[in-house]
Amino acid sequence: MQTVQNGIGGEVVGSTSPRTAPVFNPATGEQSAILPLSTKAELDAAVAAAKLAFPEWAETPPLKRAKLFFRLKQLLDDNTDRIARAISAEHGKTFADAVGEVQRGVEVVDFVCGIPHLLKGEFSRHVGPGIDCHSDHQPLGVVAGITPFNFPAMVPMWMFPVAIACGNTFILKPSEKDPSASMIIHELFKEAGFPKGVFNVVHGDKEIVDAILTHPDVKAVSFVGSTPIAEYVYKTGTANGKRVQALGGAKNHMIIMPDADIDKAADALMGAGYGSAGERCMAVSVAVPIGDETANRLIEAMAPRVRAMKIGPGTDPDAEMGPLVTKEHMKKVLGYIDAGVKEGAELVVDGRGFKLQGYENGYFVGGSLFDHVKPNMSIYKEEIFGPVLSVLRAPNYDHAVKLINAHEFGNGTAIFTRDGDAARSFADKIEVGMVGINVPIPVPVAYHSFGGWKRSLFGDHAIYGPEGIHFYTRVKTITTRWPEGIKSGAAFAFPTMN
């Protein structure tokens, strides 16, 4: 059986840890690999390698860094199918979904190929008599990323391309559930010609997370995961003097206005609610139709679509949805469906008890659809992270907006309408970080930035795009005057233009 290894100092290094975790194929329930849970000493070795590589890498001209990223981009494009197969085998998502994940991650590599322009500072001439002023974006040092199971390639690529292009060196701690994609990327880094120690991968659990958060040589930490862990990472990291961006959970709503095309809205909800088995922080898990007539039409359109959804292993080219990532998570999602029924919601489509011939031990849950969900129910308040869509009927638009704004999460949201006034009002008034107008999953493109509001993001910077450049650099401002412009005599008053 395969044993997953670390990537430290440009080399593949086996762990000496006696602690291990199994890696499973979610479609079959069979163990596919052994993952050593690395020791603190192994994290220390990775940090030391990154620290050693930092001075020379930070002095490498941005154009030379960009050329290496151009090579990496080509290698990632050439190996997209290989990475996607590894994702499908360990996460369970369909191959087409995994390919899309890799491609969206590579878009961030595309973005940082323009790093010479992105790092340009500002310049002002004659800010005072013979005095000029300019600013410079300088790297932080060794930085780290802690990434979740649901996007084992894309989320790391939201972090390390920007961090490394800015002149930092990087340590990646991937999810224990699907670690192989990160090791393929590590291999491609080496093939692209990056210096040893610039990109490192250390596998592990909370012990390694805590070691990263408290290590004195790690200057910044990026995290994506659940809100309780995001809050823990933020508080622990900042308490140890680190810059931290920690992206947490979500409960994304989609308002369906009475004038919306119901068939198009239903198609959008199918992909946004059930794609990747709902294991997306940008999944739409709550549909909010305005008025009972709109709600009835939506349920009528959705129910047959959910029942007809093709569920299968990621290797099935016809599958629209795969299994959940682990047996434990499958049980958790089934528990939420049970709770929704107990709390009084109407279970229109029941995904419990779904079995697939030949894959009886896989972690499959059928698509589930609830109607008449209320704000006090656990299936509304909490992030399920599974193929469960709740329909919460709102009497009018204002009620729907207040409902969304009152929720603790503010990650993503959408509205489907033909009414420009409603769309503009929604974009302006909704207290959510990412908004879609007739776009169900409004994940920003790589040259914008991804980040929610409220308890969906801890820290001052969103991830990738311009915000990523700001997060992974410090601004230094230099004020210059040469001897010819200096007047004789000491000046004790605070300098002004007067």
Side-chain angles (χ1 to χ4, degrees), residues 223 225-231 246-254 280-283 285-286 332 336 375 377-385 400-414 426 429-435 451-458:
F223 172 86
S226 68
T227 285
I229 306 302
E231 187 170 20
L247 282 70
K251 197 70 179 181
N252 304 319
H253 302 68
M254 187 173 110
R280 295 171 175 161
C281 67
M282 288 296 283
S285 53
V286 183
K332 179 181 177 182
Y336 271 113
M377 296 179 178
S378 62
I379 58 170
Y380 173 73
K381 292 188 293 184
E382 299 172 21
E383 184 177 35
I384 299 173
F385 227 58
V401 169
K402 288 178 182 177
L403 182 81
I404 297 171
N405 286 346
H407 205 283
E408 66 170 317
F409 298 129
N411 204 50
T413 190
F426 183 74
K429 302 297 183 185
I430 209 70
E431 296 174 12
V432 176
M434 292 169 284
V435 180
W453 288 9
K454 296 183 282 190
R455 289 180 59 79
S456 292
L457 173 65
F458 297 87

Side-chain angles (χ1 to χ4, degrees), residues 270 302-311 320 349:
M270 288 300 299
M302 287 294 298
R305 284 171 165 84
V306 178
R307 294 189 183 101
M309 186 164 49
K310 172 73 171 175
I311 302 172
E320 296 169 319
V349 182

Side-chain angles (χ1 to χ4, degrees), residues 24 37 65 70 96 100 117 120 136 151 169 187 235 267 274 284 287 307 322 334 344 412 415 424 448 451-452 456 486:
F24 291 98
L37 300 173
R65 293 183 217 149
F70 273 113
H117 173 75
K120 286 195 302 186
D136 185 22
F151 288 103
T169 51
E187 173 193 322
K235 288 181 177 179
D267 288 341
Y274 300 104
V284 172
R307 294 189 183 101
L334 291 172
I415 185 171
R424 190 174 188 278
H448 286 265
S456 292
I486 301 176

Side-chain angles (χ1 to χ4, degrees), residues 231-440:
E231 187 170 20
Y232 170 80
V233 166
Y234 179 75
K235 288 181 177 179
T236 307
T238 54
N240 283 275
K242 304 187 191 315
R243 184 178 288 191
V244 180
Q245 55 180 187
L247 282 70
K251 197 70 179 181
N252 304 319
H253 302 68
M254 187 173 110
I255 292 178
I256 300 93
M257 295 292 286
D259 68 334
D261 185 311
I262 290 296
D263 284 329
K264 290 180 180 178
D267 288 341
L269 279 169
M270 288 300 299
Y274 300 104
S276 199
E279 293 172 322
R280 295 171 175 161
C281 67
M282 288 296 283
V284 172
S285 53
V286 183
V288 188
I290 305 303
D292 282 334
E293 182 183 351
T294 305
N296 293 338
R297 290 165 58 214
L298 181 67
I299 291 294
E300 185 179 349
M302 287 294 298
R305 284 171 165 84
V306 178
R307 294 189 183 101
M309 186 164 49
K310 172 73 171 175
I311 302 172
T315 52
D316 182 351
D318 296 324
E320 296 169 319
M321 188 179 86
L324 294 169
V325 67
T326 64
K327 181 182 288 187
E328 292 74 21
H329 189 54
M330 177 185 70
K331 291 178 179 178
K332 179 181 177 182
V333 171
L334 291 172
Y336 271 113
I337 300 173
D338 292 341
V341 172
K342 186 177 180 180
E343 291 170 337
E346 179 187 346
L347 186 55
V348 179
V349 182
D350 188 352
R352 296 172 296 182
F354 177 87
K355 292 293 181 183
L356 186 64
Q357 187 175 359
Y359 296 89
E360 288 82 2
N361 294 322
Y363 312 138
F364 291 94
V365 174
S368 297
L369 175 65
F370 278 104
D371 192 9
H372 298 288
V373 174
K374 304 299 181 186
N376 63 336
M377 296 179 178
S378 62
I379 58 170
Y380 173 73
K381 292 188 293 184
E382 299 172 21
E383 184 177 35
I384 299 173
F385 227 58
V388 182
L389 179 66
S390 296
V391 175
L392 195 156
R393 299 173 178 229
N396 54 57
Y397 168 80
D398 289 337
H399 183 277
V401 169
K402 288 178 182 177
L403 182 81
I404 297 171
N405 286 346
H407 205 283
E408 66 170 317
F409 298 129
N411 204 50
T413 190
I415 185 171
F416 267 61
T417 183
R418 293 184 174 94
D419 187 334
D421 287 339
R424 190 174 188 278
S425 169
F426 183 74
D428 186 45
K429 302 297 183 185
I430 209 70
E431 296 174 12
V432 176
M434 292 169 284
V435 180
I437 308 298
N438 299 313
V439 175

Side-chain angles (χ1 to χ4, degrees), residues 47-112:
V47 174
K51 186 177 180 181
L52 181 65
F54 171 68
E56 184 176 350
W57 181 245
E59 291 298 318
T60 300
L63 183 59
K64 187 173 181 179
R65 293 183 217 149
K67 288 181 177 179
L68 290 171
F69 273 104
F70 273 113
R71 292 181 199 164
L72 180 64
K73 171 192 156 36
Q74 186 61 58
L75 290 168
L76 289 166
D77 285 341
D78 293 343
N79 286 271
T80 292
D81 286 3
R82 178 186 171 203
I83 299 170
R85 283 193 295 270
I87 294 169
S88 287
E90 293 179 348
H91 173 276
K93 66 178 64 176
T94 65
F95 178 72
D97 192 22
V99 167
E101 168 186 344
V102 177
Q103 290 172 338
R104 285 303 298 265
V106 173
E107 288 179 7
V108 180
V109 179
D110 283 334
F111 171 70
V112 303

Side-chain angles (χ1 to χ4, degrees), residues 109-150:
V109 179
D110 283 334
F111 171 70
V112 303
C113 287
I115 198 65
H117 173 75
L118 298 169
L119 287 179
K120 286 195 302 186
E122 298 175 319
F123 181 86
S124 295
R125 183 171 169 81
H126 289 318
V127 299
I131 301 174
D132 302 328
C133 192
H134 73 276
S135 62
D136 185 22
H137 293 278
Q138 297 190 346
L140 307 176
V142 179
V143 300
I146 302 165
T147 57
F149 73 82
N150 60 328

